[in-house]
Amino acid sequence: MSTPEASMLKRYHCPVELAVDVVGGKWRPVILAHLKEGVHRYGELRRRMPHVSEKMLVQRLRELEADGLVARRGLGTNPPHVEYELTAEGRSLAPVLQALYDWGAARAERTGTQVGD
């Protein structure tokens, strides 16, 4: 994935190409969808995404932060706790994330695919 500065310099041939470059991948949209619901601590995100490795979650959160979609806030506690939330740019993805959620739910119903615990 690219940083905001890199994507401004890169030439895209279609707006969807830019969108997929920023939010694409297996875990980035899932993280964004969870954060669309509100602020989450790292541990909460980890529990909501049991199939992602700790290393992958940390990497994706850092990428989303570098891309300006997610803000990380240390709570200054001992042991340290960190919260993540969408930035204004991240919140601008809410309709897109909702559309993906709705389509996924409808697809699951049409195909009999189990979603959830």
Side-chain angles (χ1 to χ4, degrees):
M1 301 301 146
S2 59
T3 63
E5 296 80 19
S7 62
M8 285 189 271
L9 300 174
K10 183 176 178 183
R11 178 166 173 96
Y12 293 93
H13 300 284
C14 172
V16 173
E17 185 182 357
L18 169 60
V20 170
D21 192 32
V22 175
V23 300
K26 183 173 182 177
W27 297 114
R28 289 169 63 106
V30 176
I31 293 167
L32 292 167
H34 286 303
L35 292 177
K36 183 177 86 60
E37 299 170 3
V39 177
H40 289 296
R41 285 184 171 177
Y42 174 82
E44 291 172 316
L45 288 171
R46 186 80 181 90
R47 282 188 295 281
R48 289 172 169 259
M49 302 171 61
H51 297 294
V52 66
S53 70
E54 207 162 317
K55 177 183 175 187
M56 183 66 66
L57 180 56
V58 168
Q59 285 176 342
R60 297 302 165 258
L61 284 166
R62 286 181 182 156
E63 290 170 0
L64 290 166
E65 187 178 5
D67 285 341
L69 301 176
V70 170
R72 178 184 187 273
R73 181 176 54 235
L75 299 178
T77 59
N78 195 8
H81 291 286
V82 177
E83 290 182 338
Y84 293 91
E85 65 183 321
L86 294 179
T87 62
E89 185 71 9
R91 286 189 301 276
S92 74
L93 284 165
V96 175
L97 296 167
Q98 189 63 51
L100 283 171
Y101 179 94
D102 293 343
W103 185 87
R107 168 84 176 169
E109 189 173 318
R110 286 191 302 272
T111 61
T113 303
Q114 184 178 355
V115 177
D117 296 338

